[in-house]
mmCIF file of all heavy atoms in Angstrom:
data_model
loop_
_atom_site.group_PDB
_atom_site.id
_atom_site.type_symbol
_atom_site.label_atom_id
_atom_site.label_comp_id
_atom_site.label_asym_id
_atom_site.label_seq_id
_atom_site.Cartn_x
_atom_site.Cartn_y
_atom_site.Cartn_z
ATOM 1 N N LEU A 22 16.017 -8.628 -9.120
ATOM 2 C CA LEU A 22 14.733 -9.041 -8.545
ATOM 3 C C LEU A 22 14.736 -9.105 -7.037
ATOM 4 O O LEU A 22 13.793 -8.655 -6.365
ATOM 5 C CB LEU A 22 14.313 -10.381 -9.149
ATOM 6 C CG LEU A 22 13.899 -10.342 -10.626
ATOM 7 C CD1 LEU A 22 13.757 -11.753 -11.157
ATOM 8 C CD2 LEU A 22 12.654 -9.536 -10.835
ATOM 9 N N THR A 30 8.658 -3.766 -1.321
ATOM 10 C CA THR A 30 7.781 -4.077 -0.208
ATOM 11 C C THR A 30 8.045 -3.089 0.951
ATOM 12 O O THR A 30 7.138 -2.754 1.682
ATOM 13 C CB THR A 30 7.954 -5.495 0.319
ATOM 14 O OG1 THR A 30 9.314 -5.708 0.634
ATOM 15 C CG2 THR A 30 7.542 -6.529 -0.697
ATOM 16 N N GLY A 33 7.684 0.735 -0.917
ATOM 17 C CA GLY A 33 6.657 0.935 -1.962
ATOM 18 C C GLY A 33 7.284 1.090 -3.304
ATOM 19 O O GLY A 33 8.412 1.551 -3.470
ATOM 20 N N ALA A 52 22.154 -0.082 -16.621
ATOM 21 C CA ALA A 52 22.417 -1.506 -16.630
ATOM 22 C C ALA A 52 21.162 -2.307 -16.441
ATOM 23 O O ALA A 52 20.991 -3.413 -17.001
ATOM 24 C CB ALA A 52 23.437 -1.846 -15.568
ATOM 25 N N HIS A 56 18.433 -5.901 -18.586
ATOM 26 C CA HIS A 56 17.770 -7.090 -18.098
ATOM 27 C C HIS A 56 16.223 -6.971 -18.107
ATOM 28 O O HIS A 56 15.518 -7.964 -18.195
ATOM 29 C CB HIS A 56 18.225 -7.424 -16.688
ATOM 30 C CG HIS A 56 19.706 -7.676 -16.592
ATOM 31 N ND1 HIS A 56 20.247 -8.893 -16.977
ATOM 32 C CD2 HIS A 56 20.727 -6.915 -16.199
ATOM 33 C CE1 HIS A 56 21.552 -8.873 -16.803
ATOM 34 N NE2 HIS A 56 21.865 -7.658 -16.320
ATOM 35 N N LEU A 79 -7.834 -20.492 -6.496
ATOM 36 C CA LEU A 79 -9.188 -20.017 -6.207
ATOM 37 C C LEU A 79 -10.011 -19.990 -7.475
ATOM 38 O O LEU A 79 -11.211 -20.371 -7.464
ATOM 39 C CB LEU A 79 -9.103 -18.594 -5.584
ATOM 40 C CG LEU A 79 -10.346 -18.070 -4.924
ATOM 41 C CD1 LEU A 79 -10.602 -18.894 -3.639
ATOM 42 C CD2 LEU A 79 -10.233 -16.631 -4.608
ATOM 43 N N GLY A 84 -16.244 -23.181 -9.314
ATOM 44 C CA GLY A 84 -17.506 -23.903 -9.287
ATOM 45 C C GLY A 84 -17.867 -24.505 -7.959
ATOM 46 O O GLY A 84 -18.965 -25.084 -7.820
ATOM 47 N N TRP A 92 -14.689 -23.785 2.742
ATOM 48 C CA TRP A 92 -13.783 -22.671 2.911
ATOM 49 C C TRP A 92 -12.621 -23.030 3.847
ATOM 50 O O TRP A 92 -11.471 -22.633 3.611
ATOM 51 C CB TRP A 92 -14.609 -21.479 3.487
ATOM 52 C CG TRP A 92 -13.803 -20.182 3.483
ATOM 53 C CD1 TRP A 92 -13.427 -19.472 4.597
ATOM 54 C CD2 TRP A 92 -13.296 -19.430 2.324
ATOM 55 N NE1 TRP A 92 -12.723 -18.364 4.223
ATOM 56 C CE2 TRP A 92 -12.614 -18.320 2.829
ATOM 57 C CE3 TRP A 92 -13.373 -19.683 0.992
ATOM 58 C CZ2 TRP A 92 -12.038 -17.371 1.989
ATOM 59 C CZ3 TRP A 92 -12.750 -18.749 0.114
ATOM 60 C CH2 TRP A 92 -12.132 -17.618 0.632
ATOM 61 N N HIS A 124 -2.165 -3.975 -14.603
ATOM 62 C CA HIS A 124 -3.076 -4.892 -15.296
ATOM 63 C C HIS A 124 -4.086 -4.109 -16.131
ATOM 64 O O HIS A 124 -4.511 -4.567 -17.177
ATOM 65 C CB HIS A 124 -3.798 -5.794 -14.268
ATOM 66 C CG HIS A 124 -2.977 -6.901 -13.768
ATOM 67 N ND1 HIS A 124 -2.439 -6.877 -12.493
ATOM 68 C CD2 HIS A 124 -2.464 -7.994 -14.382
ATOM 69 C CE1 HIS A 124 -1.704 -8.008 -12.322
ATOM 70 N NE2 HIS A 124 -1.722 -8.689 -13.435
ATOM 71 N N ARG A 125 -4.478 -2.947 -15.651
ATOM 72 C CA ARG A 125 -5.384 -2.144 -16.434
ATOM 73 C C ARG A 125 -4.752 -1.717 -17.766
ATOM 74 O O ARG A 125 -5.367 -1.779 -18.803
ATOM 75 C CB ARG A 125 -5.793 -0.914 -15.595
ATOM 76 C CG ARG A 125 -7.097 -0.274 -16.056
ATOM 77 C CD ARG A 125 -7.455 0.891 -15.127
ATOM 78 N NE ARG A 125 -7.435 0.454 -13.709
ATOM 79 C CZ ARG A 125 -6.858 1.165 -12.755
ATOM 80 N NH1 ARG A 125 -6.261 2.292 -13.033
ATOM 81 N NH2 ARG A 125 -6.866 0.683 -11.498
ATOM 82 N N HIS A 132 -7.312 -11.252 -15.479
ATOM 83 C CA HIS A 132 -6.520 -11.269 -14.283
ATOM 84 C C HIS A 132 -7.370 -11.381 -13.040
ATOM 85 O O HIS A 132 -8.300 -10.638 -12.871
ATOM 86 C CB HIS A 132 -5.667 -9.996 -14.177
ATOM 87 C CG HIS A 132 -5.061 -9.790 -12.820
ATOM 88 N ND1 HIS A 132 -4.062 -10.553 -12.287
ATOM 89 C CD2 HIS A 132 -5.412 -8.897 -11.866
ATOM 90 C CE1 HIS A 132 -3.793 -10.155 -11.088
ATOM 91 N NE2 HIS A 132 -4.596 -9.144 -10.792
ATOM 92 N N ASP A 133 -7.052 -12.344 -12.217
ATOM 93 C CA ASP A 133 -7.880 -12.487 -11.048
ATOM 94 C C ASP A 133 -7.033 -12.678 -9.792
ATOM 95 O O ASP A 133 -6.273 -13.646 -9.629
ATOM 96 C CB ASP A 133 -8.863 -13.661 -11.169
ATOM 97 C CG ASP A 133 -10.085 -13.446 -10.333
ATOM 98 O OD1 ASP A 133 -10.411 -12.269 -10.050
ATOM 99 O OD2 ASP A 133 -10.721 -14.451 -9.974
ATOM 100 N N ASN A 145 -21.677 -13.484 -2.554
ATOM 101 C CA ASN A 145 -22.757 -14.384 -2.979
ATOM 102 C C ASN A 145 -23.872 -14.413 -1.951
ATOM 103 O O ASN A 145 -23.738 -14.925 -0.814
ATOM 104 C CB ASN A 145 -22.159 -15.780 -3.122
ATOM 105 C CG ASN A 145 -23.187 -16.780 -3.591
ATOM 106 O OD1 ASN A 145 -24.359 -16.459 -3.772
ATOM 107 N ND2 ASN A 145 -22.790 -18.015 -3.776
ATOM 108 N N ALA A 149 -25.443 -17.671 3.671
ATOM 109 C CA ALA A 149 -25.972 -16.851 4.787
ATOM 110 C C ALA A 149 -24.997 -15.782 5.181
ATOM 111 O O ALA A 149 -23.771 -15.990 5.173
ATOM 112 C CB ALA A 149 -26.309 -17.776 5.980
ATOM 113 N N ASP A 152 -22.434 -16.725 7.808
ATOM 114 C CA ASP A 152 -21.398 -17.549 7.280
ATOM 115 C C ASP A 152 -20.353 -16.739 6.499
ATOM 116 O O ASP A 152 -19.161 -16.969 6.656
ATOM 117 C CB ASP A 152 -21.961 -18.640 6.403
ATOM 118 C CG ASP A 152 -22.667 -19.727 7.159
ATOM 119 O OD1 ASP A 152 -22.481 -19.764 8.387
ATOM 120 O OD2 ASP A 152 -23.430 -20.551 6.568
ATOM 121 N N PHE A 168 0.390 -10.134 7.349
ATOM 122 C CA PHE A 168 0.514 -8.707 7.019
ATOM 123 C C PHE A 168 0.730 -7.831 8.210
ATOM 124 O O PHE A 168 1.226 -6.735 8.098
ATOM 125 C CB PHE A 168 -0.719 -8.244 6.242
ATOM 126 C CG PHE A 168 -0.886 -8.917 4.943
ATOM 127 C CD1 PHE A 168 -2.149 -9.136 4.379
ATOM 128 C CD2 PHE A 168 0.180 -9.379 4.188
ATOM 129 C CE1 PHE A 168 -2.318 -9.771 3.182
ATOM 130 C CE2 PHE A 168 0.088 -10.006 2.979
ATOM 131 C CZ PHE A 168 -1.230 -10.205 2.502
ATOM 132 N N ASN A 172 7.987 -8.833 11.706
ATOM 133 C CA ASN A 172 8.911 -9.967 11.843
ATOM 134 C C ASN A 172 8.724 -10.765 13.103
ATOM 135 O O ASN A 172 9.519 -11.647 13.450
ATOM 136 C CB ASN A 172 10.359 -9.497 11.795
ATOM 137 C CG ASN A 172 10.708 -8.889 10.450
ATOM 138 O OD1 ASN A 172 10.278 -9.409 9.435
ATOM 139 N ND2 ASN A 172 11.509 -7.818 10.445
ATOM 140 N N VAL A 173 7.652 -10.441 13.809
ATOM 141 C CA VAL A 173 7.472 -10.979 15.149
ATOM 142 C C VAL A 173 7.434 -12.524 15.117
ATOM 143 O O VAL A 173 8.056 -13.161 15.990
ATOM 144 C CB VAL A 173 6.190 -10.454 15.817
ATOM 145 C CG1 VAL A 173 5.940 -11.174 17.120
ATOM 146 C CG2 VAL A 173 6.289 -8.946 16.011
ATOM 147 N N PRO A 199 -9.432 -30.894 10.242
ATOM 148 C CA PRO A 199 -9.302 -30.668 8.817
ATOM 149 C C PRO A 199 -9.310 -32.032 8.082
ATOM 150 O O PRO A 199 -8.772 -33.009 8.547
ATOM 151 C CB PRO A 199 -7.979 -29.974 8.654
ATOM 152 C CG PRO A 199 -7.213 -30.332 9.884
ATOM 153 C CD PRO A 199 -8.243 -30.480 10.974
#
Side-chain angles (χ1 to χ4, degrees):
Chain A
L22 289 170
T30 56
H56 299 282
L79 195 69
W92 189 244
H124 285 107
R125 202 175 309 134
H132 164 72
D133 209 24
N145 181 0
D152 285 346
F168 298 149
N172 294 323
V173 174

